[in-house]
Amino acid sequence: MSKPSIPKGTRDFSPTEMVRRNYIFSTIRKSFQRYGFMPIETPAMENLSTLTGKYGDEGDKLIFKILNSGDAFKQLRESYPDEKLSTFNFPLSTISEKALRYDLTVPFARYVVQHQNDISFPFKRYQIQPVWRADRPQKGRYREFYQCDADVVGSDSLLYEVELIQLFDEVLTNLGIPDFTIKINNRKLLSAIAEITGEQDKLIDITVAIDKLDKIGEDEVVKELKEKGVSDKAIDIIKPLFSLKGSNAEVIAKMRTILASSEIGQKGLDELEYIFSKIAALGLQHAKLELDITLARGLNYYTGAIFEVKANGVSIGSICGGGRYDDLTGIFGLKNVSGVGISFGADRIYDVLNELNLFPEFTSETTQVLFTNFGENEVNYCLPLLKELREKGINAEIYPSDAKLKKQLSYADSKQIKYVVLVGSEELQNNQITLKNMQSGEQITISKTELFKHITL
Amino acid sequence: MSKPSIPKGTRDFSPTEMVRRNYIFSTIRKSFQRYGFMPIETPAMENLSTLTGKYGDEGDKLIFKILNSGDAFKQLRESYPDEKLSTFNFPLSTISEKALRYDLTVPFARYVVQHQNDISFPFKRYQIQPVWRADRPQKGRYREFYQCDADVVGSDSLLYEVELIQLFDEVLTNLGIPDFTIKINNRKLLSAIAEITGEQDKLIDITVAIDKLDKIGEDEVVKELKEKGVSDKAIDIIKPLFSLKGSNAEVIAKMRTILASSEIGQKGLDELEYIFSKIAALGLQHAKLELDITLARGLNYYTGAIFEVKANGVSIGSICGGGRYDDLTGIFGLKNVSGVGISFGADRIYDVLNELNLFPEFTSETTQVLFTNFGENEVNYCLPLLKELREKGINAEIYPSDAKLKKQLSYADSKQIKYVVLVGSEELQNNQITLKNMQSGEQITISKTELFKHITL
């Protein structure tokens, strides 16, 4: 029999990885709560109709569809009895009506509309759940991965943009990342650029092209703009923006002039100035906040601020993102509800912490004390002590059989257990225990009543 | 546009429900760790071949299959070009090779075999993840639900049975359930019964029938045994067992006699006596431990102890289960690895806590302080105070716009926020704040530096 395996692009997580991942999730969760966000969860499966058409044609192809249960083909056979397989174009809905969620944003929009009468707005929610995408698997890209999202809907107040920047700063600082940059832009500036270049109808093409600047470079972006039919005159205006230099205030000042004729452009700059002034007054911990007017982010539903966070000094892509959207719930029939949200990329953050060696020791998640097993009498002597340690909050266990001591100690080693309690016939007779510190190698024999106070974690 | 919905049998969880569910999960998780179990996670999708044939024919039908991505029908069309839909029996594998996990046990067995070289045995793992079943949805039965499993594989020591009983007791006591019964039996007794009645070949039929005793009653069980061809003579031996009365020790004594001729029966009784003696020495908190020789549990892979837990005084079915299996990993080619595990039913436990009104207040998960918003100057005054509270670990937020006070206070009410900070022009002038306790209605005006020390949670 060949060894069993798992589908490509998916992963098992070992105890070591799990403890580290849970540390990331719980750090994020704690800060989400600190900022007044409340948890929700939505089902892994959504109706296919909820998901299709929300992620573009490419996205639709990457949605994992679930076969209807029972005989999935029955309806198909009955509806098209004389159809030949070779020529027939199967309507998907006859065999699949459900799909796995592709992100947390569309299910959240669906949730808000479905439960609008039970929600008091502004609604601040967070959601930490896996999503599934049938992307081609490659290094750092998986078919199942967690998203950690915080969004607030039902208010267009820029105070939330300010708060979300603080939230990025708090979480990543608490995770110990020494140096990271929060890049910010505003979609209104991109609209204004399209406007002043006379290319309003090509706003999406321009956004998509500029979004690739980091990856493919200036020449290729210009090439793509040309291919999409953006005029040379427009490109002459856009190109200098790629290398606009200076402090945030200086860039804003330059853009004020460039976008002088665009009302929406001035509004975008007003919004950015408001955010910068508030953040300047409050300060940030480890984060730098940087206006990057070439930051575009692919998602079409953004309409205001957009964010992207990168850790400096490592060659790992963006670890967080987000932005303001003015009409996310509109797709489900609830109009004019503005929202803004951010997302932490747990896998990328894991890679950053790993590369920078920033994971702490996790003694509280692993076994701290192992009782060795020298036979029935010793076990009976140890079990009440084991129970007592657990009641006092110590993670402890007993080796299940009287195997050779070497084997028992090697079990302790493999689980990185700090203390081993040894009880042989002598300890048994004297009401004592021998406590071995596996890190220092030190070993002491003490009264069994003293065990707890000799354990320091 | 009609309101969006979710697939039948699935659920959204609101903030209130989530906070309660997380309380249950984290209580379970803490105890799992206390007993030396380490977390793993496996992907939501497994290869279909990993899952099929493991849950019986009925189970196979309830597995959610995932459509191959891309054009799922391409292979089918090309392989069977002239086939007619009406007559063709589609081979599932041509359009689906993956499926959603049906439980955590089979993926765990797959994990152990796949990673056997990286695991040091005995391997104590816990796993808290959702599973999916295409069951007909009904009250209390969902198509997506969480399982919370702790298993240890690689040892046949009965110390683990003892420890898992303690674990049931600890978790459910910590959740505040005042009175619950851990029923225990041993599959070896069921084998022995089949043996002494001369019906060894009908062991599974007998087990399945007895398993229904609680639900359908004695007469129906006897009827089912007859239908399965169990002899009248055998039924005459089995039937008195349904009403065997007495303490655990008394029942064991009676069974010693009844099963006198069966070696495996005596072994099962030895195991039970060992477990009872250890538990008697250690004591339990809120749990009663009760031998129930009619406890059968449907799962065929159990070979030793079996467990089932019920909360007393509520009409909710079993809330936990578990047992010993001697060859779970054998299905994936790793023979002779004994294991024992238990599972907590989070949904059922939720219902018990809800019905008995046992959920505590969850102030640390929700917003504790709301700053009202009376305009730009007041906001600028409040933002540093808000930041300070958050840094001190208080969950706090500011209302996003200068809406009418009534609206802001009703927002605080709907989120059950305990404190509201009011800053108007007077407070602004005097470097003060007004702190309103929303529970008592009490309101005090204090220096802004005193805010933190007036908050008691």
Side-chain angles (χ1 to χ4, degrees):
Chain A
M1 191 185 292
S2 65
K3 255 202 194 176
S5 63
I6 49 177
K8 63 178 177 175
T10 68
R11 293 167 289 173
D12 283 327
F13 294 109
S14 71
T16 309
E17 291 165 316
M18 278 302 297
V19 168
R20 291 172 165 199
R21 287 170 62 84
N22 285 341
Y23 161 71
I24 294 171
F25 292 134
S26 76
T27 304
I28 293 171
R29 189 178 295 119
K30 224 174 282 166
S31 292
F32 282 172
Q33 289 171 359
R34 194 91 75 231
Y35 281 72
F37 292 86
M38 297 289 293
I40 70 162
E41 275 185 14
T42 61
M45 303 175 191
E46 294 278 349
N47 291 324
L48 194 48
S49 57
T50 299
L51 302 185
T52 36
K54 312 302 189 297
Y55 306 105
D57 290 347
E58 277 311 301
D60 278 356
K61 283 187 201 147
L62 302 183
I63 294 172
F64 277 111
K65 284 110 191 157
I66 292 164
L67 214 54
N68 294 343
S69 40
D71 183 350
F73 296 118
K74 195 165 169 248
Q75 195 192 335
L76 205 60
R77 269 199 299 263
E78 289 172 359
S79 307
Y80 308 93
D82 296 321
E83 215 62 55
K84 257 196 198 171
L85 271 167
S86 53
T87 52
F88 188 58
N89 228 336
F90 297 83
L92 187 62
S93 62
T94 52
I95 63 158
S96 169
E97 290 167 335
K98 294 181 288 292
L100 294 178
R101 67 174 162 255
Y102 179 87
D103 69 1
L104 302 179
T105 310
V106 168
F108 172 55
R110 192 267 309 147
Y111 179 99
V112 169
V113 177
Q114 189 175 335
H115 303 282
Q116 54 185 289
N117 297 329
D118 308 316
I119 293 172
S120 68
F121 294 96
F123 181 48
K124 299 175 86 170
R125 89 81 173 82
Y126 75 84
Q127 197 169 348
I128 300 180
Q129 291 191 278
V131 301
W132 295 270
R133 295 182 185 179
D135 255 320
R136 187 191 306 270
Q138 57 185 61
K139 192 182 174 305
R141 191 198 283 164
Y142 305 101
R143 292 186 146 192
E144 173 180 55
F145 58 96
Y146 270 77
Q147 291 193 332
C148 312
D149 285 15
D151 288 80
V152 49
V153 294
S155 164
D156 58 5
S157 169
L158 293 171
L159 284 174
Y160 287 125
E161 272 84 342
V162 173
E163 159 164 299
L164 292 171
I165 291 167
Q166 291 181 289
L167 191 46
F168 279 139
D169 182 46
E170 176 175 311
V171 168
L172 300 174
T173 297
N174 286 350
L175 287 171
I177 302 179
D179 183 16
F180 53 93
T181 301
I182 303 168
K183 288 189 177 185
I184 182 172
N185 195 9
N186 193 307
R187 273 290 172 91
K188 295 188 172 72
L189 303 196
L190 295 168
S191 295
I193 291 166
E195 187 186 325
I196 60 159
T197 56
E199 302 275 9
Q200 278 105 316
D201 58 324
K202 300 217 171 60
L203 172 59
I204 290 175
D205 289 333
I206 293 173
T207 305
V208 168
I210 291 181
D211 195 35
K212 297 178 185 162
L213 189 61
D214 253 18
K215 283 173 198 129
I216 62 177
E218 193 175 315
D219 292 348
E220 289 295 312
V221 171
V222 168
K223 201 173 134 197
E224 182 167 328
L225 288 171
K226 278 187 180 157
E227 281 167 12
K228 294 288 177 182
V230 175
S231 71
D232 287 351
K233 193 179 135 255
I235 289 173
D236 285 345
I237 300 174
I238 294 169
K239 220 176 128 181
L241 302 178
F242 294 165
S243 47
L244 214 59
K245 291 265 178 339
S247 69
N248 294 335
E250 284 161 1
V251 172
I252 287 180
K254 285 177 192 167
M255 291 301 287
R256 285 266 180 222
T257 315
I258 296 169
L259 303 177
S261 65
S262 164
E263 197 183 325
I264 193 168
Q266 297 301 318
K267 178 139 194 340
L269 292 166
D270 290 347
E271 291 181 9
L272 285 166
E273 270 189 336
Y274 179 90
I275 294 166
F276 284 130
S277 75
K278 287 283 182 289
I279 291 292
L282 293 165
L284 293 172
Q285 300 180 69
H286 291 187
K288 292 190 191 76
L289 180 63
E290 184 185 303
L291 172 56
D292 178 353
I293 60 147
T294 68
L295 178 67
R297 289 189 68 77
L299 300 170
N300 281 325
Y301 49 74
Y302 289 136
T303 50
I306 41 182
F307 305 111
E308 196 163 279
V309 184
K310 277 187 181 165
N312 299 318
V314 288
S315 58
I316 290 163
S318 67
I319 55 178
C320 307
R324 161 78 61 183
Y325 40 83
D326 277 338
D327 194 27
L328 192 66
T329 56
I331 49 178
F332 298 114
L334 182 64
K335 301 279 179 201
N336 301 319
V337 178
S338 185
V340 59
I342 60 175
S343 186
F344 288 82
D347 288 303
R348 293 273 181 86
I349 291 173
Y350 187 101
D351 291 342
V352 169
L353 298 188
N354 210 23
E355 189 167 328
L356 297 177
N357 207 8
L358 292 173
F359 283 112
E361 268 196 76
F362 296 101
T363 50
S364 68
E365 272 83 10
T366 56
T367 299
Q368 297 154 331
V369 178
L370 175 75
F371 288 81
T372 52
N373 183 332
F374 290 131
E376 197 53 21
N377 289 334
E378 289 82 357
V379 165
N380 287 334
Y381 180 89
C382 288
L383 284 180
L385 294 172
L386 169 61
K387 185 187 170 203
E388 191 191 327
L389 286 193
R390 284 174 177 162
E391 280 166 3
K392 289 187 162 145
I394 308 267
N395 302 341
E397 55 181 298
I398 185 164
Y399 197 82
S401 66
D402 55 353
K404 288 211 175 101
L405 181 59
K406 200 182 154 202
K407 195 172 173 193
Q408 300 190 39
L409 292 179
S410 114
Y411 175 81
D413 268 336
S414 76
K415 279 187 97 165
Q416 297 181 281
I417 297 173
K418 186 169 174 188
Y419 290 103
V420 168
V421 174
L422 299 142
V423 171
S425 54
E426 202 166 323
E427 284 90 353
L428 204 58
Q429 209 161 24
N430 302 328
N431 254 328
Q432 292 181 315
I433 59 115
T434 295
L435 183 65
K436 186 181 169 78
N437 183 322
M438 297 291 282
Q439 282 165 8
S440 66
E442 205 190 336
Q443 188 168 312
I444 48 169
T445 299
I446 49 175
S447 155
K448 76 171 180 179
T449 58
E450 293 179 312
L451 170 57
F452 177 67
K453 73 174 183 208
H454 279 86
I455 290 166
T456 51
L457 296 165
Chain B
M1 192 185 289
S2 65
K3 255 203 194 175
S5 63
I6 50 177
K8 63 179 179 176
T10 68
R11 294 167 289 173
D12 284 326
F13 294 108
S14 70
T16 309
E17 292 165 315
M18 279 301 297
V19 168
R20 291 173 165 201
R21 287 170 62 85
N22 285 340
Y23 161 71
I24 293 171
F25 292 134
S26 77
T27 303
I28 294 171
R29 188 178 294 117
K30 225 174 281 166
S31 291
F32 282 172
Q33 288 171 1
R34 194 90 75 232
Y35 281 71
F37 292 86
M38 297 289 293
I40 69 161
E41 276 185 14
T42 61
M45 302 175 192
E46 293 278 350
N47 292 324
L48 194 47
S49 57
T50 299
L51 302 185
T52 36
K54 311 303 189 296
Y55 306 104
D57 289 347
E58 277 312 301
D60 278 357
K61 284 187 202 146
L62 303 183
I63 295 172
F64 277 111
K65 285 108 190 158
I66 292 162
L67 213 55
N68 293 342
S69 39
D71 183 349
F73 295 117
K74 198 164 166 249
Q75 196 192 333
L76 205 60
R77 270 200 299 262
E78 289 171 1
S79 306
Y80 307 94
D82 296 321
E83 215 61 58
K84 254 197 200 173
L85 272 167
S86 53
T87 53
F88 189 58
N89 227 335
F90 297 83
L92 188 63
S93 63
T94 51
I95 63 158
S96 170
E97 290 167 335
K98 293 183 287 293
L100 293 178
R101 67 173 161 254
Y102 178 87
D103 69 1
L104 301 179
T105 309
V106 169
F108 172 54
R110 191 267 309 146
Y111 179 99
V112 169
V113 177
Q114 189 176 337
H115 303 282
Q116 54 185 287
N117 297 328
D118 308 316
I119 292 172
S120 69
F121 294 95
F123 181 48
K124 300 175 86 170
R125 87 84 173 80
Y126 75 84
Q127 197 169 348
I128 300 179
Q129 290 192 277
V131 302
W132 295 269
R133 296 182 185 179
D135 255 320
R136 188 192 304 271
Q138 58 185 61
K139 191 180 175 306
R141 191 197 285 163
Y142 304 102
R143 293 187 144 191
E144 173 180 53
F145 58 96
Y146 271 76
Q147 291 192 332
C148 311
D149 285 14
D151 289 79
V152 49
V153 294
S155 166
D156 58 5
S157 170
L158 293 171
L159 285 174
Y160 288 126
E161 273 83 343
V162 173
E163 159 164 301
L164 292 172
I165 291 167
Q166 291 181 288
L167 191 46
F168 280 138
D169 182 46
E170 176 175 311
V171 168
L172 300 174
T173 297
N174 287 350
L175 287 171
I177 301 179
D179 183 15
F180 53 93
T181 301
I182 303 169
K183 290 189 177 186
I184 182 171
N185 194 10
N186 194 306
R187 272 290 171 93
K188 295 187 173 72
L189 304 197
L190 295 168
S191 296
I193 291 166
E195 188 188 325
I196 61 158
T197 57
E199 303 276 9
Q200 279 105 317
D201 58 323
K202 300 216 172 60
L203 172 59
I204 290 175
D205 288 333
I206 293 173
T207 307
V208 168
I210 292 181
D211 195 34
K212 296 177 185 161
L213 189 60
D214 253 17
K215 283 174 198 127
I216 63 177
E218 194 175 314
D219 291 348
E220 290 295 313
V221 171
V222 168
K223 201 173 135 198
E224 182 167 328
L225 287 171
K226 279 187 179 157
E227 280 167 12
K228 295 288 180 184
V230 176
S231 71
D232 286 350
K233 195 181 133 252
I235 290 174
D236 284 344
I237 301 174
I238 294 170
K239 220 177 129 182
L241 302 178
F242 294 166
S243 46
L244 214 58
K245 291 263 177 344
S247 69
N248 294 335
E250 285 161 1
V251 173
I252 287 181
K254 287 177 191 166
M255 292 300 288
R256 285 267 180 222
T257 314
I258 296 169
L259 302 177
S261 66
S262 165
E263 196 182 328
I264 193 167
Q266 298 301 318
K267 179 141 192 346
L269 292 166
D270 290 346
E271 291 182 9
L272 285 166
E273 271 189 336
Y274 179 91
I275 294 166
F276 284 130
S277 75
K278 287 282 182 288
I279 291 292
L282 293 165
L284 293 172
Q285 301 180 68
H286 291 187
K288 292 190 191 77
L289 181 62
E290 183 185 304
L291 173 56
D292 177 354
I293 60 148
T294 67
L295 178 67
R297 289 189 69 76
L299 299 170
N300 281 325
Y301 50 74
Y302 289 136
T303 51
I306 41 182
F307 306 111
E308 197 163 279
V309 184
K310 278 189 181 164
N312 299 319
V314 289
S315 58
I316 291 164
S318 67
I319 55 178
C320 308
R324 161 79 60 182
Y325 40 83
D326 276 338
D327 194 27
L328 193 65
T329 56
I331 49 178
F332 298 114
L334 182 64
K335 301 279 179 201
N336 300 320
V337 179
S338 185
V340 58
I342 59 174
S343 187
F344 288 82
D347 287 305
R348 293 273 181 87
I349 292 173
Y350 187 101
D351 291 343
V352 169
L353 298 187
N354 210 23
E355 189 167 327
L356 297 177
N357 207 8
L358 293 173
F359 283 112
E361 268 195 77
F362 297 101
T363 49
S364 68
E365 272 82 11
T366 56
T367 300
Q368 298 154 329
V369 179
L370 175 76
F371 288 82
T372 51
N373 183 332
F374 291 129
E376 196 56 19
N377 290 333
E378 289 82 357
V379 165
N380 287 334
Y381 180 89
C382 288
L383 284 180
L385 294 172
L386 169 61
K387 184 185 171 205
E388 191 192 326
L389 285 193
R390 285 175 177 161
E391 280 166 3
K392 289 187 162 144
I394 309 267
N395 302 340
E397 54 182 299
I398 185 165
Y399 198 82
S401 66
D402 55 355
K404 288 212 174 97
L405 181 59
K406 199 181 154 203
K407 195 173 174 192
Q408 300 191 37
L409 292 181
S410 113
Y411 175 81
D413 269 336
S414 76
K415 280 187 96 166
Q416 298 181 280
I417 298 173
K418 184 169 175 189
Y419 290 104
V420 168
V421 174
L422 300 141
V423 171
S425 53
E426 202 166 321
E427 284 89 353
L428 203 60
Q429 210 162 25
N430 302 329
N431 255 328
Q432 292 180 315
I433 59 114
T434 294
L435 183 66
K436 187 182 168 75
N437 184 322
M438 297 290 282
Q439 282 166 8
S440 66
E442 205 190 336
Q443 187 168 313
I444 47 169
T445 299
I446 49 174
S447 155
K448 74 171 179 181
T449 57
E450 292 179 311
L451 170 56
F452 177 67
K453 73 174 181 206
H454 280 86
I455 291 167
T456 51
L457 297 165

